[in-house]
Structure formats: structure tokens, C-alpha cells
Amino acid sequence: MASGGELINNKQVIFKNFVEGFPKESDMEVKTSSISLKVEEGSNAVVVKNLYLSCDPYMRIRMTQSDQETDDPEFIPFTPGCPLEGFGVAKVVDSGHPNYKKGDLIWGMVKWEEYSLIENPQLFKIHHADVPLSHYTGILGMPGITAWAGFYEVCSPKKGEKVYISAASGAVGQLVGQFAKLMGCYVIGSAGSKEKVDLLKNKFGFDDAFNYKEEHDLDAALKRCFPEGIDIYFENVGGKMLDAVLLNMRLRGRIAACGMISQYNLHQPEGVHNLMNIVGKRIRMEGLMAFDYFPQYEKFLDAVLPFVREKKVVYVEDIAEGIEGAPAALVGLFSGRNVGKQVVAVAKE
């Protein structure tokens, strides 16, 4: 715990109460508390100054009250009256932990506030600061390892295969598409605006892309894009999109289920009607959680850092300035307001 030393003001984004339907900015509020920047002598805690906060779709799940017990950090509900928490990039201000020292740059789970006291730190130290620190909320953080593990480990891709990615301009999708192109796959993505479709084709190098909001028949759209069918589907949307994809998968196709953002704000999740295709086409569908692959983080960095440094992969971020803008930035994910990875810049290093 923190004790002693001068107390300073600490702005926090407080979660007010559990949410039904689409989250609103009013479900959160920015309040000012106080914090000591010193940890108690003999403590293993660290105090960090938060630099960047990551806005991620899974956070919506944590805004819902649940009776199910879970140890998975991505599914433990937020506590009303307390700060939200999520992945972030921070600088260690004081430490009682042998693995961290003052001045270390880290990324990991932090609270949504200017300064955080972390009692049992399980944080990644940032050793490569020659790339933008905000990248550790995205391409070099949780979304990056999700894209890498989902594509390479779950989907077992082969050169020339046909890959479809939904929500393709988001934090994970934009990376999966570029990884697939580097491997020699044929890649098509869908997104929710002309701006995002243009980004997929002209910035990220997708072979083609379409605006799902302009398609009245998703099955027909996929048949137009993939007349020979889909080998790999990277699933970020669920619902009607998943149903249409199942009709268009090829024999022994693979589906990496990363998320289902179309379902997060529904009181009653939509059913899926075309599951029998999994049997007849011998499709393998597997869910993935980034936490499962954190032990492989160094392997991931060895693979992806060269792509970043050599500009073989580009990464688009949508950065909101100031912690006061954090509620709007998070809520904007669910209306598609962001273009690229949504980040909140809290402070300069």
C-alpha cells in the first residue's frame, strides 16, 4: 500500500453502475481523489504514472453484472463506485517490488486514473522505446498478441489461402490483415464506413474490402468477394455476420473467435442458425484470449518488432487527449466512431 509522502490530486474515471444496452458517457464520471506517490516500506507494490490508456471492446462485458464466477481478468465485472481498469502504458514512480524500479516504463493492467497503486504487479517492462509508447496499448500490447496468436497459432495459415476479417480496421483486425498479406494470403475485410474501407485497401494493403452497412444480404456479399469460399475467418463481430460466414467457409476452414462486438450490448444474444456447416465442412472454430499467450510475449516481440521497425506493418491509432475524454472515447467504440486503435493519452512521459 501507499503511505507517507505528500498527497497529490489524482483524476479518476469512476464506473457508476452496471449497464444494460449501449454504454453512455453518463455511466462514468471523472472525479478527483488523492494519492501518495510513495509505497509503504516493505511493500511489493508499485506506484505508476499512467501515460496511455487502452479502450477495448471487451471492457463492455465488464460493465455487465454477472453471477458467474471467473478468474479471467477480461470478464470480472467492474466495481461500481471504483475506477475502471484496463490495459495501459505507464512509468514507475516508486517501487517496493524487486522486479521494478523508479523510471521503468511498463505496460499491463492499470486503473483508469492519472496515478495507480498496483499491489501485486504483473506488468511487462518496456525495453524497446524506439517505437511510439502508445504502440504498447496496441500492436505491441494485448491487441497485437491477440492478432499474432489468433492468426498464426489458431488458424495455421498457408500461403495463398483466402482470409476474411470482420471489424477489420480495428485494433486487432488491421494487424491480422497485414500479417496475412505478408504470408501471401488473399485478404478481404469489412468495416462500417467508407473511410474505414478506404483505409483497409489503401493503407493496410487488403486485396479488397466492403462496408457491411451497405450490404442488405451478407451471404451474397461474401459470395461476391469469395466465389471459391473462405479458408480463414477472423471473427470479431458474431451474430448475423458469423451466420453468413458459416455458409461460405471452405472444407476444413478455420475460424479464430476473437470477439463478437455485435452481441455485447444486446439484452438477449442473437442465435446462430448455420452451425451444421461446421460438421459438413469439418470447420474448426476456436476461441482465444490474449492472456493465454502472454508467456509467449518475447517470441511475439521477436516476430513483430522487425515488422514495425522495417515499416512492413503500419498501425493506425485514434488518440483522445486527456483523461477527461476517456468516457467518450470508450463509448465511441460501440458506434464505430474511432478510426483505428482507440487510445487515451493521459500524460507525457
Side-chain angles (χ1 to χ4, degrees):
M1 41 186 309
S3 71
E6 183 183 353
L7 293 176
I8 66 163
N9 287 339
N10 186 31
K11 287 182 184 174
Q12 302 175 305
V13 180
I14 301 297
F15 178 59
K16 290 167 70 173
N17 212 338
F18 293 113
V19 173
E20 290 188 9
F22 279 82
K24 306 177 295 296
E25 290 180 47
S26 58
D27 294 320
M28 298 161 270
E29 60 181 333
V30 178
K31 285 187 169 182
T32 300
S33 66
S34 59
I35 187 172
S36 168
L37 299 187
K38 292 288 185 185
V39 300
E40 195 173 83
E41 195 166 333
S43 165
N44 270 340
V46 297
V47 175
V48 300
K49 177 183 180 180
N50 292 318
L51 306 178
Y52 294 98
L53 300 175
S54 176
C55 297
D56 296 297
Y58 80 86
M59 296 174 73
R60 172 61 187 87
I61 300 170
R62 300 189 65 185
M63 292 179 157
T64 301
Q65 190 167 19
S66 174
D67 296 327
Q68 296 182 352
E69 290 190 11
T70 178
D71 294 324
D72 195 318
E74 287 199 24
F75 292 110
I76 296 172
F78 293 133
T79 302
C82 294
L84 281 80
E85 63 177 1
F87 289 98
V89 174
K91 188 172 187 175
V92 176
V93 175
D94 192 33
S95 174
H97 196 287
N99 293 346
Y100 307 96
K101 65 180 188 299
K102 182 178 179 179
D104 280 348
L105 292 167
I106 59 89
W107 75 267
M109 196 65 77
V110 299
K111 291 178 181 169
W112 274 35
E113 54 193 359
E114 292 176 300
Y115 294 90
S116 290
L117 170 69
I118 304 173
E119 297 278 6
N120 297 297
Q122 296 179 342
L123 307 164
F124 292 96
K125 288 212 270 193
I126 295 173
H127 298 293
H128 307 280
D130 57 319
V131 296
L133 287 177
S134 57
H135 279 12
Y136 288 91
T137 67
I139 186 171
L140 298 177
M142 184 275 289
I145 199 167
T146 301
W148 173 80
F151 183 62
Y152 293 111
E153 301 281 327
V154 174
C155 292
S156 304
K158 303 178 189 70
K159 183 178 179 179
E161 288 194 310
K162 294 170 174 59
V163 177
Y164 173 53
I165 304 154
S166 55
S169 67
V172 175
Q174 59 174 291
L175 293 174
V176 176
Q178 293 178 83
F179 292 160
K181 286 303 299 176
L182 286 168
M183 188 146 200
C185 297
Y186 179 77
V187 181
I188 293 180
S190 59
S193 71
K194 181 182 184 302
E195 179 186 10
K196 292 178 181 179
V197 167
D198 290 344
L199 198 65
L200 294 175
K201 294 193 286 189
N202 302 322
K203 182 88 171 179
F204 301 138
F206 283 48
D207 292 289
D208 206 350
F210 66 90
N211 182 348
Y212 71 90
K213 292 179 180 177
E214 295 178 351
E215 302 291 343
H216 301 295
D217 185 336
L218 290 172
D219 177 31
L222 292 172
K223 282 182 166 56
R224 181 182 74 236
C225 293
F226 295 98
E228 298 175 5
I230 300 165
D231 294 297
I232 290 172
Y233 172 46
F234 204 94
E235 164 69 302
N236 293 308
V237 169
K240 295 179 177 65
M241 182 64 78
L242 175 59
D243 235 1
V245 167
L246 287 169
L247 295 173
N248 288 277
M249 293 296 293
R250 298 182 76 181
L251 191 68
R252 304 198 186 284
R254 286 87 70 206
I255 299 174
C258 171
M260 298 190 181
I261 196 170
S262 71
Q263 305 301 294
Y264 297 162
N265 299 304
L266 301 181
H267 180 66
Q268 184 67 41
E270 292 176 314
V272 178
H273 304 281
N274 296 321
L275 286 173
M276 189 61 193
N277 286 272
I278 290 177
V279 179
K281 297 179 181 180
R282 289 73 140 183
I283 297 165
R284 178 166 58 82
M285 183 173 180
E286 183 177 339
L288 74 143
M289 302 292 292
F291 293 94
D292 294 340
Y293 296 92
F294 281 176
Q296 298 185 47
Y297 184 66
E298 291 304 320
K299 179 182 174 183
F300 157 75
L301 273 188
D302 288 344
V304 175
L305 256 179
F307 290 160
V308 177
R309 288 173 172 153
E310 296 163 22
K311 295 184 168 49
K312 289 183 177 177
V313 169
V314 295
Y315 200 63
V316 171
E317 297 171 326
D318 191 328
I319 298 181
E321 294 290 340
I323 198 166
E324 295 83 0
L330 180 59
V331 169
L333 287 179
F334 304 100
S335 61
R337 191 165 61 206
N338 59 302
V339 177
K341 167 63 189 170
Q342 184 66 68
V343 184
V344 178
V346 179
K348 303 297 182 188
E349 186 187 338

